[in-house]
Amino acid sequence: MITISPTLLTGCVALLCGWVVVGLAGLLRPGSLRFAGRTLFPLGALLGLALALLAGASLLGGGTERLILPVGLPDLPMHLRLDPLSSLFLLLLGASSFGISVFAGGYFRQGEGALPGLLCLQYHLFLASMGAVLLADDAYGFLVAWEVMALSSYFLVTTQHRIPEIRRAGFLYLLMAHVGAICLLLCFGVLQGGSWLFTFDAMRAAHLSPGWAAAAFLLALLGFGAKAGLVPVHVWLPEAHPAAPSPVSALMSGVMLKTAVYGMLRVGLDLLGRPVWWWGLAPLILGLLTIFYGVLFAAVQTDMKRLLAYSSIENIGIVFTGIGLTIVFEGSGLETVAALALLATLYHCLNHSFMKSLLFLGTGSVLHATGERNLGRLGGLIHRMPWVAWLTLIGTLAIAGLPPLNGFVSEWLLLQSFLFADHLPHAFVNLLIPMGMALVVLGAALAGYVMVKFYGVIFLGQPREASLAHAHDCGWLERIGLLWLALGCVALGLFPLQVIRALGAVTGQLIGAAVPQASSHWWLLAPVPGRPVSYGPLVFLTATLAVVFLTVLAVRLTYHQRVRRAPAWDCAFGGLTPRMQDTAEGFGQPIRHLFQSFFEIERELPAPADRTPRYRIAIRERIWRLAYEPLSNAVERLANAAARVQQGRISVYLLYGFVTLIVLLAVALMS
Amino acid sequence: MRALDWITQVLEVVAALAAAPVFLGWLNQCRAWLQNRRAPSLWLPYRSLHKLFHKEAVIADNASSLFRIAPYVVFGAMVLAAGIIPSMGTRLPLVVAADAIALVGLFAAARVFMSLAAMDVGTAFGTLGARREMMVGFLAEPALLMVIFVASLISSSTALPAITENLASGRIGLSPGLAFSAVAFVLVLLAENARIPVDNPATHLELTMIHEAMVLEYSARHLALMEWAAQLKLFNYVCIGFALFLPWGVARAHIGPVGLLVAIPALAVKLAAAGAGLALIETVSAKMRVMRIPEFLATAFLFAVLGLLVHVLLGA
């Protein structure tokens, strides 16, 4: 049955096995940080790079390969498949994990919870399971890989398991992961359509009635949405991301959330065949809601990793908005526009993977250098940690959606596909589209606000605590990791046309149409034939740099370049202190004030005559009180009611067994 | 034709650089007349720029290099923007680089750099200015985009010259959607350029200032670049307004060199009228409290969304 030939798919499987071996090797010397950090993590990083190369080759080739491995339960071999969609996400996994793993090699320190060797095993199992999710071609293998992914990442989140909050965050994560997994189980159960064959090929061939197909789609949306962090099933994300060590946060936010997007695309656009247009409304509306919700909460956070977690929620919202648009367009028979929307979706996945990993790793370096996660105790780090500060600046500008970096490209593509919506045959959707567009651009502008706050409060200004004077820049492994991801952001921003050509195979596979190129220039992005629309990031950058260069030259030649350093202007009152700068709370105040009704605010204000004034503000999500607490209370009541049956006496249990037997016999005799 | 395109391009950028300070001078002059004051010279902005460039730059002790780079980046962004907006002709070689969405992105990039630079020194004023500027920006930027989208939907393109070409061809009068957008655009223009009623360019009162708070730590050539960039921004916004709502007189693709000869005086007349109009608005309105600004901008945003809805509903 097994046919080993030197194909790309075999190579990918071998690399995933390599990750498992690297992880297991960590157990050889579990206590040695040097062995894990200097040998195993860089080795894992190289495997990631190799995986990215193989996946890239497969993506450019555009072919599909299959493999059946006789592992697992008897009669249930593991089906694997490498097609353009999985190649793209494998490329994303390999390329981001290269940067993250190199960084992780220099990041972990002695005495941080779990042993380094154990951490290495969990980390590489996590990577391998994500790869397996992307390659699986039957529901069985998919769900096993999905569960391994959830469990290994649970252990990684609870690395510092001695802290109660972290244990709590881990539990919440595990709970939501399993609620999602149950939905997926049911979804695959519906998808097999009575054939009881659980390979994806059988599911593609199955004919579902419209009602069941819609049910499968909604179950997939709920299941994958819970993993991706779609509102309202996002609550684990802002707890789990800050709890995990930074490279793990980067992996979870940068890569794991994308496996959920992969699953959504696989089920929604591949397994279910041609989608009905109104299915797309669910991800579209939820996505728009998620954008707005995520960015508002990001704006009022004071913990830097929590801020980034909410920003991830926002970006997942953008991705799901794109998926929704794709389905609406495809269902309405507009293949080219659907391809454009899908392109924006996929491009944003790639972008977010690089920029969010970069930012999470940047916060990790700051955390190590200062021991602080609270924005209110940071500041001025650009002087102490120039490498981290300048590389993080690239990620900050990229995620704020500023040209010519990568975040802008996907937003541009998404807006272009929105602008095509005037051809839709549904009046209701036609009205929804302008509202959606308004929310997307409002979200993008608010993301700029959030990112200025994030960067300005951490790296600029004066240090808010005296201890920050001892902050040090990161080590060379960490620098390489950050540099790789920053270069990824720049490259994705400057060469959109090349990326889009590579993505053409995926849109061809899922939609059956590629976005044609209206331009013949390699530096010009003009995806819309018949409309004179173009964006040329290279020209853009060159022109700006040329103007800047000429200005510098002109100013220097015509005038002079004398500079004098002096204390900052203090209105002649004297005594400027770092305390007078805006804190994170202060910078977010306008948003908190404007959107008061969205937040549950608990405030402690000092009285005017208070000698020892204390100001405290806590912001919670209303959704906890409105939905989750009633839900958890209901579950608890139900469990208590069920517990009445549980007496703890053996005679009662024997009675239960006896009664059951009698009932079953009676049923058997009746029929 | 290629050569003519490049000539138009260079001419536009040079004209923007030269005319932006005069435009501000003209605006101040009109305002002074309306308020029964003696007007300052039309050339005053030039003289202050010249003076500032001559001075020795004083930089705060803990300013990082970001602080010194920012004025050049902001200035560069505004010059590039001037090259993209079709103020004189619609055949601009640079325009392939950026459509209207990228133009808004360019403004956003300038704003982010300016805010970051304001936070760099770490004084209370700087961060206050940065926070307020971002507060103005997060509502003004989407409103501007929505305004542009109405015009884009009408013209089936997000490239500004194509929009101008289409609107100038006279087939379309001011459609209802565009009328709503025009109101929104004027509100955004006032907010984005720190004019009354959102910000008062003539004050250093901490309760109200936005733009001035951000550039408070700058001096000499850096301040000059920041000021010049602000003047260019005002000029650019006014020219975007012309391109979207008053596209008359712009040299269109098929006209040739004669078009340029018409375009220059036409632009001058439009600028003079716009300056007078802005001065009138500023004179009859009062500066509003900072926390009222979001309401003002939300109105603009709402008008822009309404414009889009009206356009979609009427199918115009």
Side-chain angles (χ1 to χ4, degrees), chain A residues 144-272:
Chain A
V144 168
W146 189 259
E147 278 301 291
V148 174
M149 183 174 91
L151 288 176
S152 53
S153 55
Y154 164 75
F155 286 114
L156 284 169
V157 167
T158 53
T159 299
Q160 294 183 318
H161 49 83
R162 291 185 211 292
I163 303 172
E165 286 96 63
I166 288 186
R167 281 204 302 274
R168 216 163 28 239
F171 174 73
L172 182 64
Y173 169 51
L174 201 62
L175 184 71
M176 291 304 287
H178 282 95
V179 171
I182 289 171
C183 292
L184 293 186
L185 200 65
L186 291 175
C187 168
F188 285 128
V190 174
L191 276 176
Q192 50 85 19
S195 67
W196 300 105
L197 290 172
F198 285 91
T199 59
F200 284 173
D201 276 334
M203 291 181 186
R204 278 185 200 103
H207 290 287
L208 296 178
S209 70
W212 281 117
F217 181 80
L218 290 179
L219 280 170
L221 182 65
L222 196 61
F224 290 118
K227 196 69 169 183
L230 200 65
V231 171
V233 278
H234 65 285
V235 285
W236 63 272
L237 210 145
E239 307 297 326
H241 279 36
S246 291
V248 176
S249 315
L251 263 192
M252 287 176 69
S253 191
V255 185
M256 190 187 74
L257 301 188
K258 308 303 174 307
T259 62
V261 175
Y262 162 82
M264 194 65 227
L265 291 173
R266 176 65 79 193
V267 172
L269 290 171
D270 184 14
L271 299 188
L272 276 169

Side-chain angles (χ1 to χ4, degrees), chain A residues 383 408 412 416 419 460-462 524 531-532 534 536 540 544 559-560 562-566 569 581-582 586 593, chain B residues 50 54-63 96-97 99 106 116 119-120 122 131 156-159 217 221 291:
Chain A
H383 301 287
F408 180 77
W412 191 83
Q416 292 293 352
L419 282 172
L460 302 177
Q462 303 175 43
L524 197 61
R531 293 196 176 194
S534 62
F540 193 92
T544 316
Y559 299 99
H560 58 91
R562 287 198 300 278
V563 168
R564 183 158 56 90
R565 291 274 176 173
W569 190 61
Q581 303 171 88
D582 263 15
H593 185 83
Chain B
H50 186 64
H54 266 298
K55 285 194 167 185
E56 178 191 43
V58 182
I59 288 180
D61 283 329
N62 77 325
V96 291
D99 65 343
L106 192 62
L116 288 178
M119 294 178 83
D120 188 49
R131 163 164 39 111
S156 304
S157 172
T158 52
E217 279 301 321
R221 58 174 179 273
M291 284 323 284

Side-chain angles (χ1 to χ4, degrees), chain A residues 44-74:
Chain A
L46 288 180
L47 290 178
L49 194 62
L51 183 67
L53 290 176
L54 282 187
S58 158
L59 186 63
L60 291 179
T64 300
E65 295 177 19
R66 291 156 196 278
L67 191 66
I68 299 175
L69 287 183
V71 290
L73 294 177

Side-chain angles (χ1 to χ4, degrees), chain B:
Chain B
M1 282 308 277
R2 268 322 261 183
L4 184 69
D5 296 348
W6 279 104
I7 290 171
T8 319
Q9 181 73 70
V10 173
L11 202 64
E12 262 200 10
V13 174
V14 172
L17 280 171
V22 190
F23 180 65
L24 187 71
W26 165 246
L27 177 60
N28 286 337
Q29 214 166 39
C30 289
R31 208 156 60 138
W33 287 334
L34 282 169
Q35 294 168 353
N36 257 338
R37 290 186 284 128
R38 266 187 58 193
S41 156
L42 199 60
W43 312 107
L44 185 64
Y46 274 132
R47 282 190 213 137
S48 24
L49 284 182
H50 186 64
K51 178 187 76 187
L52 284 173
F53 273 120
H54 266 298
K55 285 194 167 185
E56 178 191 43
V58 182
I59 288 180
D61 283 329
N62 77 325
S64 68
S65 22
L66 186 73
F67 186 78
R68 295 176 67 174
I69 295 170
Y72 294 99
V73 174
V74 174
F75 184 74
M78 288 308 152
V79 173
L80 180 59
I84 292 166
I85 301 164
S87 57
M88 291 180 186
T90 54
R91 285 179 63 107
L92 303 171
L94 254 187
V95 112
V96 291
D99 65 343
I101 303 177
L103 181 71
V104 177
L106 192 62
F107 283 130
R111 183 199 344 271
V112 164
F113 263 95
M114 212 159 157
S115 302
L116 288 178
M119 294 178 83
D120 188 49
V121 177
T123 60
F125 276 127
T127 45
L128 174 143
R131 163 164 39 111
R132 289 178 177 171
E133 171 74 9
M134 292 314 288
M135 178 182 84
V136 170
F138 93 80
L139 277 167
E141 193 185 306
L144 179 61
L145 264 179
M146 298 311 277
V147 167
I148 287 172
F149 286 160
V150 179
S152 311
L153 281 177
I154 292 174
S155 319
S156 304
S157 172
T158 52
L160 269 177
I163 295 174
T164 310
E165 276 281 335
N166 186 33
L167 295 180
S169 64
R171 271 171 289 155
I172 301 143
L174 200 60
S175 74
L178 265 186
F180 276 110
S181 315
V183 177
F185 181 78
V186 172
L187 300 184
V188 171
L189 186 147
L190 291 172
E192 281 275 41
N193 291 289
R195 312 304 302 177
I196 290 176
V198 173
D199 189 6
N200 189 345
T203 179
H204 282 107
L205 187 66
E206 68 272 20
L207 287 178
T208 58
M209 66 180 169
I210 300 177
H211 177 81
E212 291 297 321
M214 284 203 294
V215 298
L216 207 54
E217 279 301 321
Y218 277 113
S219 59
R221 58 174 179 273
H222 301 125
L223 182 61
L225 283 174
M226 280 293 196
E227 292 295 332
W228 203 351
Q231 290 156 6
L232 270 171
K233 188 177 177 188
L234 177 63
F235 183 88
N236 285 338
Y237 261 84
V238 172
C239 285
I240 293 176
F242 295 155
L244 295 184
F245 307 111
L246 303 166
W248 308 306
V250 172
R252 288 164 55 201
H254 60 272
I255 294 180
V258 191
L260 212 51
L261 293 180
V262 181
I264 296 169
L267 180 65
V269 170
K270 284 192 283 189
L271 279 174
L278 279 179
L280 187 67
I281 295 176
E282 287 201 59
T283 307
V284 297
S285 50
K287 168 85 183 71
M288 62 172 95
R289 284 169 50 212
V290 170
M291 284 323 284
R292 295 288 301 278
I293 295 173
E295 286 172 31
F296 177 83
L297 284 167
T299 316
F301 187 48
L302 223 65
F303 264 116
V305 175
L306 262 180
L308 202 55
L309 279 177
V310 165
H311 170 77
V312 171
L313 272 181
L314 297 184

Side-chain angles (χ1 to χ4, degrees), chain A residues 38-116:
Chain A
R38 290 289 184 268
T39 312
L40 293 181
F41 274 103
L43 204 61
L46 288 180
L47 290 178
L49 194 62
L51 183 67
L53 290 176
L54 282 187
S58 158
L59 186 63
L60 291 179
T64 300
E65 295 177 19
R66 291 156 196 278
L67 191 66
I68 299 175
L69 287 183
V71 290
L73 294 177
D75 282 343
L76 270 177
M78 201 164 177
H79 296 72
L80 299 175
R81 182 173 132 126
L82 185 70
D83 57 10
L85 180 63
S86 43
S87 309
L88 170 68
F89 282 86
L90 277 176
L91 172 69
L92 182 154
L93 166 69
S96 314
S97 76
F98 174 71
I100 299 170
S101 293
V102 171
F103 182 94
Y107 180 82
F108 288 112
R109 302 275 195 277
Q110 209 71 44
E112 287 196 351
L115 286 174

